[in-house]
Amino acid sequence: MEKAPLFLTLVILLMQCLPIVPVTVSTTMPTVEVRENTDAVLSCDFRTEKEENPRIEWKKKGTDVSFVYYEGHFIGDFAGRARIKGATVTLQRVTQKDAGEYRCEITAPHDTITLGETNITLEVLVPPHTPSCEIPSSALTGSVVQLRCMDQQSIPSATYSWYKDDKPLIPSRMANATYHLNSFTGILEFKTVARSDTGQYSCLASNKVGQSKMCEAKHMKIEDVNMAGVVAAVVVICLVIAICGFGGYYAHRNGYFSRHKGRSFWIPQCHGVAHISSQNLHRTEDKTNANYSPPPQDVSSSPIFCWCIDGWVLYSQEMLT
């Protein structure tokens, strides 16, 4: 009889020493990649300590956390196009809007640790679309020319190849290469374009998801600079400037920019205002100015007018019009 209580005591001690197995949640595919408009399987496996009917929830992370599956129902856009088996969710006909990070949460109220979770990232892949190509129709020899190619819809991002007259242009790393091709940005740049670069150009967008797409070929013509025309234009411009300058000087010299016609002369140190004629000279002046000298007299009877500007006086014998 004494051995029975001892045995029970040992069993209880052993049970207390055994590790507690809390709720555990895991996934076989932490990252899921699928093509657009196909189904995506988000796996979620769990094991509980005691709870036989744990609560299963799915959430999607973004700017805010939103429910995908809650209280046995799919929520919002996922209703009608998703199904669940165990805790694994299958999303049907996924689009770019479905891409992102999802979280599977298992709640077991009767377990020692009541909550477990795992994260799955969904990437929705998009095959190449026909790229948008910018190809100039013409350019002058020696100039810098850029051709651009872009596909903004493909995921992962497309890489680009350029073709001239249906033949591929090979990216060159040589320092003396006449062009530079960036297969990631889609830019084809000619540092000094030449007449030999004339031709039909097209661009091909590619990624690992689907068939490559090419834009419509366009013709680019390289023309020499018309030096004769440039020289003629410079000569004409110089002639126009010379004629305008001479005309302005002639008009100013003959008083066409004034209301009166006549001859004018300047006298320094003007103080006051004067009206001068050949027969009578009147002037209001600063008598203390020792540097004052009267204007020259004219024997004609035409009046002479005087203007004072910044200490100088302009005398003009003019005929009023």
Side-chain angles (χ1 to χ4, degrees), residues 131-137 145-150 162 186 188 201 203 215-216 218 220:
S132 172
C133 295
E134 297 179 8
I135 303 171
S137 58
V145 178
Q146 283 190 347
L147 284 67
R148 297 178 179 270
C149 180
M150 182 173 294
W162 279 95
L188 172 62
Y201 288 85
C203 172
C215 69
E216 182 181 357
K218 295 180 182 179
M220 182 176 71

Side-chain angles (χ1 to χ4, degrees), residues 125-147:
L125 307 180
V126 181
H129 288 65
T130 301
S132 172
C133 295
E134 297 179 8
I135 303 171
S137 58
S138 62
L140 296 177
T141 55
S143 61
V144 178
V145 178
Q146 283 190 347
L147 284 67

Side-chain angles (χ1 to χ4, degrees), residues 9 17 26 30 36 65 72 88-89 104 112 138 158 167 199 207 219 226 235 243 245 250 271 311 313 315:
T9 302
C17 293
S26 62
E36 192 174 30
V65 177
T88 296
V89 166
C104 174
T112 306
S138 62
K167 296 180 180 179
N207 70 8
H219 185 75
N226 188 351
V235 171
I243 292 172
Y250 180 81
H271 296 276
V313 62
Y315 289 93

Side-chain angles (χ1 to χ4, degrees), residues 188-263:
L188 172 62
E189 181 180 70
F190 293 89
K191 297 178 181 179
T192 52
V193 73
R195 291 189 64 183
S196 59
D197 296 319
T198 296
Q200 293 280 121
Y201 288 85
S202 58
C203 172
L204 183 71
S206 308
N207 70 8
K208 65 180 183 179
V209 181
Q211 184 177 0
S212 301
K213 295 294 182 67
M214 179 177 286
C215 69
E216 182 181 357
K218 295 180 182 179
H219 185 75
M220 182 176 71
K221 183 178 181 181
I222 309 302
E223 300 175 324
D224 291 328
V225 179
N226 188 351
M227 295 303 299
V230 173
V231 172
V234 171
V235 171
V236 170
I237 292 173
C238 291
L239 287 175
V240 170
I241 294 175
I243 292 172
C244 291
F246 178 78
Y249 172 79
Y250 180 81
H252 178 74
R253 178 69 177 170
N254 289 274
Y256 287 107
F257 295 143
S258 174
R259 294 178 57 191
H260 309 288
K261 297 180 180 179
R263 55 192 179 87

Side-chain angles (χ1 to χ4, degrees), residues 21-144:
V21 180
V23 58
T24 57
V25 184
S26 62
T27 180
T28 57
M29 291 286 291
T31 301
V32 178
E33 293 184 351
V34 295
R35 290 186 57 171
E36 192 174 30
N37 297 315
T38 61
D39 295 350
V41 178
L42 310 181
S43 69
C44 180
D45 301 319
F46 65 91
R47 185 176 61 180
T48 61
E49 177 189 358
K50 300 176 184 178
E51 186 65 56
E52 296 181 358
N53 295 305
R55 185 176 67 199
I56 301 172
E57 294 179 358
W58 275 89
K59 299 176 182 178
K60 183 183 179 185
K61 295 181 180 180
T63 305
D64 298 317
V65 177
S66 58
F67 278 102
V68 175
Y69 182 82
Y70 180 70
E71 293 186 344
H73 300 283
F74 286 99
I75 308 300
D77 295 339
F78 298 98
R81 66 178 188 93
R83 62 180 183 269
I84 189 168
K85 183 178 181 181
T88 296
V89 166
T90 300
L91 303 179
Q92 299 173 333
R93 304 180 303 279
V94 294
T95 64
Q96 275 301 303
K97 187 178 179 181
D98 298 321
E101 186 174 351
Y102 292 79
R103 185 169 66 213
C104 174
E105 295 182 358
I106 305 296
T107 303
H110 294 96
D111 285 13
T112 306
I113 298 177
T114 60
L115 178 65
E117 63 183 38
T118 188
N119 295 318
I120 300 99
T121 300
L122 174 62
E123 296 181 2
V124 179
L125 307 180
V126 181
H129 288 65
T130 301
S132 172
C133 295
E134 297 179 8
I135 303 171
S137 58
S138 62
L140 296 177
T141 55
S143 61
V144 178

